[in-house]
Amino acid sequence: IMGIKVFKKLLLILLCLPMISTSQNIGDFYQGGIVFYLDSFGNGLIIDTSYIQATYPWSTQSDIISDWGPNLHFCTGTEDTSIGGGFLNTTTFINDHPNQHYAANICYNSTSGGYSDWFLPSKNELWEAMLKISIINSSINIFGGDTIFSNFHWSSTQTQAKDIRYAYGAWPYSTINGIPNGPVEIVNSKNMPYLVRAIRCIDNDCSFITPISIQEHTTNKELLKVIDLLGRETKQTNQPLFYIYDDGIVEKRIVIE
């Protein structure tokens, strides 16, 4: 009888213990790539371990760079910047430009790692990847693949309709006055070939939860001014610029023309 009481007590304790989480960690090799982003609900993003080879000879210098899309065509529905928005941007682009060879097309058609739900990351998704370069590259050195190159990478996010020529991307590294700095967001001409790195959602679930306050914060901000590294207001391009918004946010960009 004493043994039964101990067993029941032990069983009760075990039932009351919290469930052990089986979620992944940043840097894990999982479902065909490296986990680089996780939200508080367990949803996450995976970056491919390798670059996708171009399916069209955009350049004689490299076979892993591709154009974003037609320079003078605005692809409505590819303006999503959010985490989870890259899949929508990519599928929208595919519907508008089926059977083409642009950056979104080759991501969409990829079967890397045995998965067929790859897409071109949105602006914010690409930014998260750039922030995790050290972890991603460390994992790739262990599991194999291409480490992140220090050149411009395309996102799937097009600029707003007021200027149809550009789409967003990012450089993994930058320097300010010779001092090494983090990644930098850049707006570039869509008909220029640059690096393409596909991502996918863990379990193909891209339903990331974004608080309403963050959505309002993103959509309601207004640009106050643009300054250069010396703090001077400017409209010149082809240099690091700081975009200052009315909500206090400062974005670092380079617009190349």
Side-chain angles (χ1 to χ4, degrees), residues 138-159:
S138 295
S139 297
I140 287 174
N141 286 330
I142 295 173
F143 299 108
D146 302 324
T147 54
I148 306 296
F149 297 160
S150 57
N151 294 318
F152 180 81
H153 291 65
W154 278 125
S155 83
S156 60
T157 305
Q158 188 176 211
T159 56

Side-chain angles (χ1 to χ4, degrees), residues 95-203:
N95 290 332
D96 201 31
H97 301 284
N99 304 316
Q100 296 298 317
H101 303 275
Y102 298 115
N105 294 98
I106 62 176
C107 289
Y108 184 82
N109 292 327
S110 175
T111 56
S112 179
Y115 292 89
S116 58
D117 53 2
W118 297 98
F119 55 89
L120 188 63
S122 69
K123 179 168 76 81
N124 290 359
E125 291 167 342
L126 179 63
W127 184 256
E128 287 293 332
M130 294 299 159
L131 292 175
K132 306 295 193 315
I133 281 181
S134 295
I135 298 175
I136 293 171
N137 285 348
S138 295
S139 297
I140 287 174
N141 286 330
I142 295 173
F143 299 108
D146 302 324
T147 54
I148 306 296
F149 297 160
S150 57
N151 294 318
F152 180 81
H153 291 65
W154 278 125
S155 83
S156 60
T157 305
Q158 188 176 211
T159 56
Q160 299 297 320
K162 61 185 178 182
D163 197 333
I164 65 174
R165 298 172 295 170
Y166 301 110
Y168 289 100
W171 285 82
Y173 309 102
S174 63
T175 58
I176 296 181
N177 296 328
I179 301 174
N181 198 26
V184 58
E185 176 188 288
I186 302 174
V187 177
N188 226 324
S189 297
K190 296 185 295 185
N191 64 338
M192 296 293 292
Y194 290 108
L195 291 168
V196 179
R197 194 75 171 231
I199 69 171
R200 60 180 301 272
C201 296
I202 291 178
D203 298 328

Side-chain angles (χ1 to χ4, degrees), residues 61-72:
Q61 298 179 353
S62 174
D63 62 355
I64 56 170
I65 57 177
S66 298
D67 282 17
W68 189 93
N71 190 39
L72 297 178

